DNA sequence: AAGCCTTGACTGAAATTTCAGTTCGATGGA
DNA sequence: TCCATCGAACTGAAATTTCAGTCAAGGCTT
């Protein structure tokens, strides 16, 4: 697990967080990982390969930390669970910052690089599903399509808030408050037919 | 108006939409504009100059098309106006695509480049204000801070939906529907105290 | 066990490519 | 004459990619 290959992927994550996907220089990565540039080509073929694998790596890691959430909350409190899962992404912890930054870069890069889109779509889909399910538990009266739509809105909003936070236009606490309010608004009774 | 300088700026906008700010190559720009590379340096000094002027150019253009919105809708229909203004940003028109793409690039770049943040914060602030005011008209019963928060949520959501659209993970019509629903949800009666 | 071969991880240095930016002589219109 | 423009050849720096070869571990053969 902690072989050089993985070290390189970890280092790549750090470099991406610092410089962005498009700012990643193979040599800077080599220095960061404490290996030669050649080793990087040995393992990943080319720069694009590094990027591809790193994005997979980040995705896996994000799955893992989303999976180990929810320290046994009250099973009745589905709404609390929902809040927790979403707010997990708005925290000033190195790992969260890394994942959010990398995720934002991935999204932004995908606008210009169709190669990245498939992986992105897959991850997004999984995430939206997960949130939709939590919404279903928090609001058993609602329909599945309504939950799916709300999940798309909440995750898209979270992405929007996240970039604003990371780009310094929105203080973390404020972002968290807006997200909590959005959940409240989505779960409010008397949802209108649109 | 249609001098070469402006041609170059228009071409730069197209190139940025295609390749991103960081993917803009001076020579590709020259080809796109149908001019020599020397002319670009003659007019803009260096690549950074091109970028600076192009972003100004895009901003001005965006202001213009936001200003000429609302073809005299019914003055009672504030909610309709709000919908229109927001949905303006989710349209498959070259100009809108260009502006949204450039905006997304700006946001994404600001994560790694603090220099861009001020301009960004200013523009965001203006925009949020404008939306908050429309919310105030659509929902006179609500308080100003509540409108401000809702405006932040709606604009952040719009940014999130916009990147998903541009990165090909969300069909345009679906994005528009989600946004309309979000407006409906925000304007629904019985907003909870959070 | 001694020698030999293979393989996978790894390196340093150098080749190659890619870009921004420069220079300069020439051209044609106001 | 001045200005905008072209074009094509260059430079220099930065970044990517290749390559020949080292090293250590593991097995196979005799």
């Amino acid at each position: 697990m902690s072989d050089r290959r993985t070290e390189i992927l970890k280092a790549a994550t750090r470099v991406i967080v610092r410089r962005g996907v498009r700012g990643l220089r193979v040599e800077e990565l080599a220095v960061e990982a404490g290996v030669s540039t050649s080793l990087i080509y040995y393992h990943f073929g080319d720069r694009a390969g590094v990027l591809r694998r790193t994005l997979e790596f980040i995705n896996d890691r994000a799955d893992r930390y989303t999976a180990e959430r929810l320290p046994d909350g009250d099973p009745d409190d589905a709404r609390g669970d929902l809040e927790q899962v979403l707010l997990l992404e708005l925290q000033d912890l190195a790992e969260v910052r890394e994942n959010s930054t990398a995720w934002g870069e991935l999204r932004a890069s995908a606008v210009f690089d169709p190669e990245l889109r498939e992986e992105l779509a897959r991850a997004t889909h999984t995430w939206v599903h997960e949130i939709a399910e939590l919404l279903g538990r928090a609001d058993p009266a609602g329909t599945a399509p309504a939950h799916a739509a709300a999940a798309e809105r909440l995750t898209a909003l979270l992405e929007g808030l996240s970039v604003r936070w990371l780009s310094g236009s929105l203080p973390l606490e404020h972002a968290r408050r807006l997200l909590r309010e959005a959940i409240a608004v989505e779960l409010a009774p008397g949802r209108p037919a649109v």
Side-chain angles (χ1 to χ4, degrees), chain A residues 80-184:
Chain A
D81 289 354
L82 177 65
E83 266 194 16
Q84 257 190 270
V85 172
L86 289 174
L87 286 171
L88 221 52
E89 316 280 333
L90 290 175
Q91 288 184 92
D92 202 2
L93 300 177
E95 203 178 346
V96 172
R97 255 195 124 88
E98 276 181 14
N99 278 309
S100 293
T101 305
W103 181 257
E105 267 292 284
L106 181 52
R107 269 249 178 268
S109 304
V111 174
F112 308 103
D113 182 357
E115 239 186 276
L116 300 174
R117 295 183 182 181
E118 193 171 347
E119 172 89 6
L120 191 67
R122 206 179 47 70
T124 307
H125 188 254
T126 308
W127 188 30
V128 169
H129 249 296
E130 192 190 341
I131 300 301
E133 201 187 308
L134 281 169
L135 276 163
R137 253 182 270 152
D139 168 36
T143 67
H147 293 143
E152 284 188 285
R153 285 194 293 274
L154 286 174
T155 52
L157 171 65
L158 178 44
E159 285 181 9
L161 292 173
S162 183
V163 207
R164 286 194 184 180
W165 162 46
L166 293 169
S167 66
S169 9
L170 192 63
L172 185 60
E173 263 318 313
H174 192 175
R176 292 172 62 89
R177 182 152 53 80
L178 289 171
L179 184 58
R180 278 195 303 269
E181 289 172 3
I183 297 170

Side-chain angles (χ1 to χ4, degrees), chain A residues 33-46:
Chain A
V35 304
S36 63
T37 57
S38 341
L39 185 63
I40 292 168
Y41 287 96
Y42 174 76
H43 280 303
F44 303 99
D46 58 12

